Amino acid sequence: MVGTRGFEPPASPTPRVRATPAPRPVIATLYYRVQRLLLFSLTAVFVPGGSTFTLQTNVAELFPFTLDDFQLEAITHLDEGKSVVVCAPTGAGKTVIAEFAVEMAMQTNKRCFYTTPLKALSNQKFYDFRTKYGDDKVGLLTGDTSINRDAAVVVMTTEVFRNMMYGTILGDVARNLRDVSYVILDECHYMNDAERGTVWEESIIYAPKDIQLVALSATIANAEELTQWIDETHGPTALVSSSFRPVPLRFYYFGDRHIYPLLSPGHGVNHVLKERFGNKRRFHKDRKRPQVGALGPRPGDVLGTLSGRNMLPAIFFLFSRRGCEEAMKKARGIPLVNHDEEQELKEQIAHFIKDNSNLQNHPHLPYLYEGMSVHHAGMLPSWKGMVEKLFQRGLLKVVFATETLAAGINMPARTTVISSISKRGDEGHRNLRASEFLQMSGRAGRRGMDTVGHVVVLNHPFEPVDEAAKLATAPADPLSSRFTPSYGMVLNLLQRHSVDEARDLIEHSFGQFLLNEQIEPLHLQKIAWQQELEKLSHPLCPTEIGDLPLYLRRLDQARAKQKQMRSMDKGMHKRTEPHLVQKDEEALLVALEAVRQDMKDVLAEAYRMPCHGCPVQKPCSKQSDRVRHLQTRIKDVDKKISRESTKYWHTFESLANVLRLEGYLQGDTPTALGRTASAIRGQNELFLTEVAMSGCLTKLAPDQLAAVITAMVTEEDRDTRNARVRVSPQAEKALEEVHKIGRRLWKLQREFDIEIPVEFGTVFCPITEMWAQGATWEALRMSTMFDEGDIVRCLRRTLDMCRQFIRAEGIPKDLVDLCIKVEQLIARDEVREDF
């Protein structure tokens, strides 16, 4: 029985189960076992404490539908005490497995943690679970919010769970994890994220082995490797994968105002498309590409066709914010909503604006009334929240969005439109990766609402149609490792672990696991070379007293002497001045004779050796050359294996050496300064702590301090020449001091080959100072050219850093008091996050 290891339920009548096609024998066993388990009322024994309780589980209430095979298989593995990795397409029903873990934890008087990659997803799950289980059963933990943290079900971001494992910020690990039996890692494929992927690896490495992990991931190519790593690092783990989509996808190609099937019955490109759109012009990757509609189909034509085929609502993916807004403007005027929907839209928008007054003059409101909107990271959070809710209610028919919408947010549509199969990256334009295409196309098809989902790729004169077909049929990309040791990791691990224990944890990373697999062929090659070397260790010399390497060295020395003699003789004959020739001739002849005698002596020694004239000298020479070659290759492979197998630990040691120089470590033990830095979270914790402890911040007023902290959490990647406002002179002077600290640390890091960035960007500092001085949002928006969403994100990062300084042990009291005032000044209006 699930949750009661080995306990058999009492006899009951055979349940009536909906007829299903005959499954494979193993699946049939799983299906019968779990369905029988869930359909009855069961009595279970709760071992801890010796008490008993009644477990009432009814499938009609828990899962009022027939479970899919992969869901049944995952549930059975959980019942057996294993962790599970579940890989399935978007919308396949992975959440059912997580809900089962939550239910079992609650039914057995245990606790469950549900982790998500985004605060928005955490909030959504928090409200969903509260609705289902009640306010007293569910808690929420984010970076700055703690609600009912000891509840049976606690929702949190993955960063919070990782920090909890350190035991230095959120309290004692044993207390935080008391009675926790399951940890759900939702959207586990975020491990691929360049900036945050390391958090998932650390969470799995540090998680206690008696906790069952439920890792939910989109389809990835190397799911077996991920499962094997978790199995070796954490404990017994089973992989459950499924390619089944409850709502199948159909792929189309739009061009010349017509829509065509993209694939032929054999899953190759439709031959009609090859004939009509096959010839593509070449386009240099560094040239600026036209926006959608400039050379490709017009958005209005696309939407008109989709509307006529009943393929709305749709998400229209583009790869720039500007492209989204231009496409929306070009699509205006297409009738998308009927009269009733238009009236409901007006009512809902009015309701949202009443609660968010900053939206009442939003320039996109006219488009919203027509059933369309834009969604990207530059929009206000309140605007995006409104758009998401209107779309979920079916009142918006199209959302023009960047690919960020494809990750995490619950906004399924009937159709997804992919405007281009390439996008601009750091190296210029590149084709979409298979996982990027899958993530966007996976938004099509709403379970329980659509029988099929539609994916429409737009024609582009510079993109071959067969490339679109390849993406539509390509397998997912493999999951890579983003594991990155940091100053915070070093300090936190050394607070709770010995150096050997810390090294063991570091070398259990997924990154090291993948490296070990990559160097496994090197180990095999080394073994083969060693075996060959062993065979060659038996000499061919019949007397077994010959020293062929010495013989060959003597011959080489003789050749070198001969070459030297030729050079000396040639130099002597080049001298044309009679007085120089006469003066040096005697000395040169003496030197030449000495070299000739040396050559004779060397040759004489060689000729006396047994190897001279030996009949096996040639094969023996080849054998000797091969031995030297193998010895060199084995030595090179050893160096490469050593370098790759200690890559992460070498970085860890380099970071520790810098921390020792700066006074954060005494030997391998964090100092008081080190304990302060261990409570700080950022890209470069050493830099943030150095600034906080330098004293340059306590001289500032709260609004000035807010501006300076913004510089510490912002990358300088924007043009500041057109800035409309500037910071105060006091803040500017403090920024100069902070910059000097950052520059010094950057030089120190270079000496130790450390590549952790020292972030310092002043572009948003004047805006933060204005906001802290009490400016309205409208005044703030009018004073800058930056997108509102970027401003909110910057201010929230500033607010988060202030709160970290407030909580961190050892931060000067004057700075803590100032940060409290900054928090009160900044946390208002759009910047305040409601939970």
Side-chain angles (χ1 to χ4, degrees):
M1 189 185 92
V2 178
T4 59
R5 307 289 182 251
F7 184 78
E8 289 297 328
S12 300
T14 303
R16 298 180 61 185
V17 182
R18 190 176 68 182
T20 57
R24 298 190 302 273
V26 174
I27 297 300
T29 302
L30 300 177
Y31 183 88
Y32 172 73
R33 179 181 178 187
V34 178
Q35 292 289 43
R36 182 183 66 174
L37 187 66
L38 296 175
L39 280 168
F40 303 126
S41 298
L42 305 171
T43 302
V45 178
F46 182 57
V47 178
S51 60
T52 61
F53 68 95
T54 300
L55 174 63
Q56 300 291 335
T57 307
N58 192 304
V59 71
E61 298 175 0
L62 187 58
F63 300 120
F65 49 82
T66 300
L67 298 179
D68 295 330
D69 289 347
F70 84 95
Q71 295 167 331
L72 296 171
E73 185 179 355
I75 288 172
T76 302
H77 287 310
L78 289 175
D79 177 42
E80 294 170 348
K82 298 178 182 177
S83 297
V84 291
V85 174
V86 183
C87 294
T90 303
K94 297 187 290 290
T95 307
V96 167
I97 299 160
E99 291 176 351
F100 180 85
V102 171
E103 191 74 26
M104 291 313 304
M106 297 189 68
Q107 293 289 351
T108 55
N109 287 342
K110 295 290 186 178
R111 301 173 66 213
C112 178
F113 285 171
Y114 195 112
T115 73
T116 75
L118 305 172
K119 285 185 179 180
L121 286 176
S122 293
N123 295 339
Q124 180 179 324
K125 284 295 178 184
F126 174 63
Y127 291 125
D128 290 346
F129 286 145
R130 269 196 161 187
T131 301
K132 185 173 183 178
Y133 298 114
D135 293 358
D136 61 323
K137 299 289 186 182
V138 183
L140 176 69
L141 278 178
T142 61
D144 44 28
T145 301
S146 177
I147 301 174
N148 199 13
R149 62 183 295 169
D150 295 322
V153 182
V154 184
V155 184
M156 63 188 71
T157 55
T158 316
E159 278 86 352
V160 169
F161 178 68
R162 186 274 311 272
N163 296 344
M164 190 181 290
M165 294 300 99
Y166 281 139
T168 56
I169 302 173
L170 298 173
D172 181 65
V173 176
R175 177 190 174 278
N176 285 324
L177 297 181
R178 190 187 69 247
D179 294 332
V180 174
S181 58
Y182 297 94
V183 172
I184 297 157
L185 299 170
D186 201 0
E187 308 287 346
C188 195
H189 53 271
Y190 261 77
M191 193 183 291
N192 248 348
D193 186 84
E195 294 182 3
R196 302 171 58 215
T198 183
V199 174
W200 276 259
E201 288 191 54
E202 293 177 57
S203 298
I204 293 169
I205 294 168
Y206 306 149
K209 299 187 186 305
D210 61 339
I211 290 177
Q212 290 178 249
L213 301 179
V214 183
L216 308 179
S217 171
T219 305
I220 55 175
N222 58 341
E224 293 85 1
E225 286 184 321
L226 176 64
T227 306
Q228 183 183 347
W229 169 67
I230 298 177
D231 185 87
E232 294 179 4
T233 302
H234 181 75
T237 304
L239 170 64
V240 178
S241 59
S242 172
S243 59
F244 173 72
R245 282 187 59 94
V247 182
L249 296 180
R250 292 180 184 169
F251 295 89
Y252 301 91
Y253 194 78
F254 188 95
D256 293 345
R257 297 188 177 184
H258 290 84
I259 191 168
Y260 307 87
L262 175 61
L263 304 174
S264 65
H267 295 290
V269 64
N270 185 350
H271 69 278
V272 174
L273 299 178
K274 289 286 286 184
E275 295 172 0
R276 187 177 292 270
F277 304 105
N279 296 323
K280 299 292 182 180
R281 289 174 279 175
R282 293 182 177 272
F283 197 89
H284 193 273
K285 66 176 183 178
D286 293 327
R287 289 180 59 192
K288 185 177 180 181
R289 297 170 75 91
Q291 295 288 343
V292 62
L295 294 177
R298 292 182 296 183
D301 294 339
V302 177
L303 293 181
T305 302
L306 296 182
S307 178
R309 289 173 169 259
N310 194 28
M311 293 170 67
L312 296 178
I315 299 175
F316 201 120
F317 285 109
L318 300 104
F319 298 102
S320 71
R321 300 176 183 182
R322 181 181 175 186
C324 290
E325 302 198 8
E326 288 184 353
M328 182 181 67
K329 292 174 183 177
K330 291 177 181 178
R332 190 175 184 185
I334 303 294
L336 299 176
V337 295
N338 57 38
H339 177 73
D340 292 339
E341 290 172 332
E342 185 178 357
Q343 293 302 314
E344 188 175 355
L345 259 177
K346 291 179 179 178
E347 294 175 6
Q348 293 293 334
I349 293 172
H351 175 73
F352 279 115
I353 291 177
K354 183 179 179 181
D355 295 334
N356 301 274
S357 58
N358 291 324
L359 303 181
Q360 60 184 355
N361 295 320
H362 200 284
H364 291 174
L365 276 175
Y367 304 94
L368 203 63
Y369 290 122
E370 295 187 17
M372 65 180 70
S373 183
V374 162
H375 190 293
H376 57 66
M379 308 299 293
L380 278 172
S382 56
W383 177 269
K384 289 194 293 184
M386 176 173 65
V387 169
E388 291 162 15
K389 287 183 172 63
L390 292 175
F391 192 84
Q392 290 165 359
R393 295 175 185 177
L395 298 176
L396 293 185
K397 303 305 178 182
V398 61
V399 170
F400 299 91
T402 55
E403 60 183 320
T404 55
L405 182 61
I409 300 173
N410 183 26
M411 279 183 62
R414 181 169 295 170
T415 300
T416 58
V417 179
I418 301 176
S419 63
S420 175
I421 57 172
S422 65
K423 69 174 186 177
R424 178 168 290 279
D426 295 336
E427 66 282 0
H429 267 87
R430 63 167 177 84
N431 284 344
L432 293 178
R433 298 187 179 94
S435 291
E436 293 171 333
F437 187 88
L438 284 171
Q439 195 73 23
M440 288 184 284
S441 60
R443 288 291 168 187
R446 300 164 297 178
R447 189 169 190 171
M449 299 177 66
D450 301 319
T451 57
V452 66
H454 309 285
V455 181
V456 181
V457 180
L458 301 189
N459 171 52
H460 195 286
F462 301 114
E463 297 173 350
V465 63
D466 53 352
E467 290 296 327
K470 288 179 182 177
L471 283 172
T473 56
D477 296 319
L479 200 64
S480 58
S481 171
R482 304 294 183 177
F483 185 72
T484 309
S486 64
Y487 293 112
M489 181 189 296
V490 173
L491 293 167
N492 279 284
L493 287 181
L494 292 181
Q495 272 190 262
R496 298 185 59 242
H497 302 279
S498 67
V499 173
D500 290 339
E501 291 172 338
R503 179 166 187 168
D504 184 64
L505 289 169
I506 294 297
E507 292 181 347
H508 272 85
S509 68
F510 187 51
Q512 190 62 61
F513 175 85
L514 294 177
L515 282 177
N516 291 343
E517 289 205 333
Q518 292 173 15
I519 64 179
E520 185 175 352
L522 295 180
H523 283 288
L524 297 176
Q525 183 65 71
K526 177 186 173 182
I527 292 172
W529 284 338
Q530 286 174 333
Q531 291 172 344
E532 184 181 354
L533 194 60
E534 178 66 23
K535 294 177 181 178
L536 295 176
S537 63
H538 305 291
L540 297 175
C541 180
T543 64
E544 296 189 2
I545 59 173
D547 190 344
L548 183 61
L550 180 60
Y551 173 74
L552 296 175
R553 283 199 301 271
R554 292 295 180 261
L555 292 181
D556 289 340
Q557 289 172 2
R559 294 189 191 97
K561 295 292 183 182
Q562 188 179 33
K563 186 176 181 182
Q564 184 181 358
M565 288 170 57
R566 289 173 183 170
S567 178
M568 293 172 66
D569 187 61
K570 187 176 181 180
M572 186 172 62
H573 284 86
K574 280 186 176 181
R575 294 178 179 271
T576 57
E577 300 84 347
H579 65 284
L580 291 176
V581 173
Q582 183 178 4
K583 182 178 180 180
D584 296 337
E585 183 177 3
E586 185 176 351
L588 288 170
L589 288 173
V590 171
L592 189 62
E593 184 60 29
V595 174
R596 182 180 289 110
Q597 187 60 45
D598 288 343
M599 183 185 71
K600 288 180 179 179
D601 294 341
V602 170
L603 283 174
E605 182 184 355
Y607 292 160
R608 288 193 301 269
M609 292 182 179
C611 294
H612 185 65
C614 178
V616 295
Q617 183 197 114
K618 189 171 183 180
C620 190
S621 176
K622 289 183 178 179
Q623 180 184 15
S624 179
D625 289 342
R626 180 60 179 168
V627 167
R628 288 198 300 271
H629 177 73
L630 289 174
Q631 289 172 339
T632 302
R633 296 297 296 271
I634 290 173
K635 188 180 295 184
D636 291 341
V637 165
D638 281 337
K639 289 180 180 178
K640 186 170 184 179
I641 290 174
S642 177
R643 183 174 62 251
E644 294 297 325
S645 60
T646 60
K647 173 184 174 182
Y648 295 108
W649 181 247
H650 177 72
T651 302
F652 187 96
E653 288 183 315
S654 297
L655 294 168
N657 287 333
V658 171
L659 290 169
R660 291 186 186 99
L661 284 176
E662 295 297 300
Y664 288 75
L665 283 177
Q666 182 68 40
D668 295 322
T669 304
T671 62
L673 194 58
R675 290 192 294 273
T676 298
S678 69
I680 303 297
R681 289 288 168 271
Q683 194 164 43
N684 193 314
E685 298 89 350
L686 178 59
F687 169 61
L688 296 171
T689 309
E690 282 288 287
V691 173
M693 306 302 287
S694 68
C696 68
L697 301 182
T698 55
K699 310 170 187 176
L700 302 172
D703 57 315
Q704 298 161 359
L705 174 62
V708 176
I709 291 178
T710 292
M712 297 160 57
V713 296
T714 307
E715 294 181 8
E716 190 68 87
D717 60 351
R718 298 169 185 264
D719 188 1
T720 60
R721 290 174 296 180
N722 298 322
R724 300 179 182 177
V725 290
R726 298 180 64 86
V727 295
S728 62
Q730 296 88 342
E732 190 165 359
K733 183 178 180 180
L735 287 171
E736 292 175 0
E737 295 183 46
V738 173
H739 185 263
K740 290 179 182 177
I741 295 172
R743 184 71 179 173
R744 181 183 68 81
L745 288 179
W746 181 77
K747 290 180 179 179
L748 180 61
Q749 289 186 167
R750 285 186 62 187
E751 296 178 14
F752 287 86
D753 198 25
I754 294 172
E755 298 180 354
I756 298 178
V758 181
E759 284 188 351
F760 184 80
T762 60
V763 64
F764 286 105
C765 294
I767 300 171
T768 302
E769 192 169 20
M770 277 186 63
W771 184 249
Q773 290 170 349
T776 64
W777 189 259
E778 184 66 18
L780 202 69
R781 186 175 66 85
M782 297 301 294
S783 65
T784 179
M785 298 292 292
F786 299 129
D787 289 339
E788 293 176 284
D790 293 335
I791 298 172
V792 171
R793 190 159 46 255
C794 169
L795 290 170
R796 286 182 175 177
R797 285 180 178 176
T798 303
L799 182 60
D800 177 68
M801 185 51 58
C802 283
R803 288 168 173 167
Q804 290 194 51
F805 285 155
I806 293 170
R807 294 192 299 263
E809 174 190 353
I811 295 293
K813 186 177 184 306
D814 291 347
L815 181 56
V816 171
D817 293 341
L818 280 171
C819 286
I820 292 173
K821 294 178 181 177
V822 171
E823 180 184 19
Q824 295 169 348
L825 294 173
I826 292 181
R828 57 187 176 91
D829 205 3
E830 288 289 345
V831 183
R832 184 183 64 252
E833 295 185 77
D834 297 322
F835 297 95

